[in-house]
């Protein structure tokens, strides 16, 4: 079947407005749910990170509270433990888009630390969008889009309908007042047509080959849209 590239943050902390470093990484559900879906469909997954560092899972994303109880948290952790791809990522700088049928960026606050300012990630996103291959991005993953800027300063995603983690969700999560910037604000400033759904409810927006999800709950429907796009 097809080979898919999962681009994960290499950051394990997120620098807040006061300079303190908030522990973070990638969000478990946003990796595990699409990973299981595409593997069940027979596809291959390759994980890439900046520098090829082994990605860190946000420990908060493995708590019973966000996984429907302890059993759900244990199942999520088991998927991560069984994923050999997570333990052997390739360097983002060495990725050749031609090798992959689709690209996927999960979230967690980590992308706001590194992928949001990564030129190599920005170039990959621009190439993926222009290639017509399915490009799926969820929750805080769209922070990476902020680095997809052309020589004239125009963002590659300007004019695209998309979604991501909202200001309302950041406020309800308790970190909006501590953040240097909010994702929704920055995406709007970049020229994107941001679509906001109800906090914490699944929402997926498809515009051409771009598939975006608002929050962790959007991971499953986003994965299904990605599989549909792959045919």
């Amino acid at each position: 079947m097809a080979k898919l590239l999962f681009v994960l943050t290499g950051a394990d902390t997120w620098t807040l407005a006061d300079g303190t470093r908030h522990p973070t990484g990638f969000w478990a559900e946003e990796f595990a749910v699409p990973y299981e879906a595409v593997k069940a469909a027979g596809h291959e997954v390759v994980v890439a990170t900046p520098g090829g560092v082994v990605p860190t899972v946000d420990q908060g994303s493995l708590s019973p509270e966000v996984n429907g109880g302890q059993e759900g948290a244990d199942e999520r952790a088991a998927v991560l433990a069984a994923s050999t791809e997570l333990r052997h990522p390739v360097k983002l700088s060495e990725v050749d888009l031609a090798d992959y049928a689709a690209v996927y960026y999960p979230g967690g606050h980590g992308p706001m630390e590194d992928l949001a300012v990564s030129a190599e990630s920005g170039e990959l996103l621009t190439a993926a969008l222009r290639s017509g291959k399915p490009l799926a991005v969820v929750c805080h993953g769209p922070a990476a889009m902020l680095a997809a800027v052309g020589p004239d300063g125009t963002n590659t995603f300007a004019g695209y309908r998309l979604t991501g983690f909202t200001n309302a969700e950041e406020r309800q999560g308790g970190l909006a007042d501590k953040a240097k910037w909010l994702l929704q604000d920055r995406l709007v400033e970049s020229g994107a047509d941001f679509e906001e759904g109800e906090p914490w409810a699944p929402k997926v927006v498809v515009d051409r080959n771009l598939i975006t999800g608002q929050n962790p709950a959007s991971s499953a429907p986003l994965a299904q849209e990605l599989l549909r796009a792959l045919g």
Side-chain angles (χ1 to χ4, degrees):
M1 300 292 280
K3 184 158 68 169
L4 281 66
L5 181 70
F6 278 38
V7 180
L8 272 66
T9 176
D12 57 11
T13 59
W14 173 38
T15 307
L16 301 177
D18 65 0
T20 59
R21 301 181 76 82
H22 179 74
T24 187
F26 70 89
W27 198 258
E29 179 177 1
E30 295 165 21
F31 173 84
V33 171
Y35 175 82
E36 285 192 294
V38 301
K39 295 283 277 191
H43 300 303
E44 179 183 349
V45 170
V46 173
V47 169
T49 62
V53 302
V54 175
T56 297
V57 63
D58 187 318
Q59 289 300 313
S61 69
L62 291 175
S63 69
E65 293 77 15
V66 299
N67 288 291
Q70 189 61 53
E71 183 178 351
D74 292 343
E75 290 174 358
R76 200 78 79 206
V79 173
L80 302 188
S83 168
T84 56
E85 297 91 341
L86 277 176
R87 296 191 293 278
H88 302 284
V90 302
K91 293 180 180 180
L92 187 55
S93 60
E94 297 177 358
V95 164
D96 184 351
L97 180 62
D99 295 338
Y100 303 95
V103 177
Y104 170 58
Y105 277 67
H109 281 105
M112 296 179 72
E113 184 74 17
D114 60 353
L115 297 179
V117 293
S118 168
E120 60 193 18
S121 173
E123 290 168 4
L124 175 65
L125 284 168
T126 296
L129 192 67
R130 292 176 177 168
S131 73
K133 296 178 180 182
L135 172 59
V137 195
V138 74
C139 201
H140 288 94
M145 297 176 182
L146 301 175
V149 179
D152 63 352
T154 301
N155 190 284
T156 300
F157 294 88
Y160 273 79
R161 294 172 46 247
L162 54 81
T163 190
F165 204 67
T166 64
N167 291 354
E169 287 166 323
E170 206 72 86
R171 283 193 296 271
Q172 291 175 22
L175 288 169
D177 293 340
K178 301 175 182 178
K180 290 181 179 179
W181 47 270
L182 299 179
L183 180 58
Q184 180 177 351
D185 290 344
R186 289 288 298 276
L187 289 171
V188 171
E189 290 167 7
S190 74
D193 181 4
F194 191 95
E195 297 190 9
E196 179 179 0
E198 289 297 315
W200 314 109
K203 181 177 178 62
V204 174
V205 176
V206 180
D207 186 350
R208 289 156 276 186
N209 60 316
L210 178 64
I211 307 163
T212 52
Q214 180 173 311
N215 46 34
S218 306
S219 301
L222 177 137
Q224 293 310 307
E225 286 291 347
L226 177 57
L227 288 172
R228 268 196 287 273
L230 285 167

